Amino acid sequence: MDQESTLRTTTMLVGGLLGVALVFGWEVRVIARSTHPRLRAVEAFATTLSMFLLLFASAYYLVERGLPGTFSESLTRTDALYFALTTFATVGYGDIVAVTQVGRVMAMLQMLGGLLLVGLAARVLAAAVQAGLEQTRGKPPPE
């Protein structure tokens, strides 16, 4: 990952992941104070998931442009989003495959991030919904 375009893509990916984390944290605070916490939790998960997938799709697209041959075929924007969703859903590959080490590392990062996103997000959002429901009922939220 020593080429200039790959370094820029890596910086964009890390910055984007920080942005996703910040938006998620803000959403959790909003859910805990909302009069409709369940609805806000669904909205927060959809927003966070969409940002996560678009971020990785953009990174895959940029890496393929900067390092041609990273994947088994050249990626269009649609192909990059397809690959990101395929990786997130863990349905497997067959048509588009990461060929280089850079592509494989990015796919592994997305796999780990996706697992964390689903597991951690479910737990945190459930707690925020509970806090919001307790606030709606007039009880103080748990510390």
Side-chain angles (χ1 to χ4, degrees):
M1 300 183 94
D2 55 356
Q3 292 190 357
E4 184 179 331
S5 63
T6 305
L7 183 59
R8 263 186 285 190
T9 301
T10 302
T11 303
M12 184 262 323
L13 183 59
V14 170
L17 288 171
L18 287 173
V20 169
L22 288 173
V23 168
F24 182 74
W26 176 78
E27 288 283 357
V28 168
R29 291 180 54 113
V30 169
I31 291 166
R33 294 184 171 97
S34 175
T35 56
H36 303 290
R38 290 183 185 109
L39 183 60
R40 291 296 301 199
V42 170
E43 177 185 298
F45 186 72
T47 300
T48 304
L49 178 61
S50 297
M51 288 176 64
F52 182 79
L53 290 173
L54 288 172
L55 177 65
F56 270 94
S58 299
Y60 290 136
Y61 179 76
L62 292 174
V63 164
E64 177 60 27
R65 291 291 162 261
L67 296 170
T70 295
F71 297 93
S72 57
E73 59 184 74
S74 181
L75 299 180
T76 64
R77 289 179 178 95
T78 303
D79 293 334
L81 183 58
Y82 168 80
F83 184 76
L85 186 57
T86 300
T87 301
F88 181 80
T90 66
V91 295
Y93 303 102
D95 47 354
I96 300 173
V97 182
V99 177
T100 66
Q101 297 300 307
V102 171
R104 289 179 178 171
V105 167
M106 285 183 59
M108 288 186 294
L109 288 173
Q110 187 195 349
M111 288 175 208
L112 289 172
L115 291 171
L116 284 172
L117 177 67
V118 169
L120 184 63
R123 176 105 168 102
V124 171
L125 292 177
V129 166
Q130 186 63 35
L133 289 174
E134 288 178 8
Q135 180 183 1
T136 302
R137 293 183 188 125
K139 299 177 189 173
E143 294 290 324

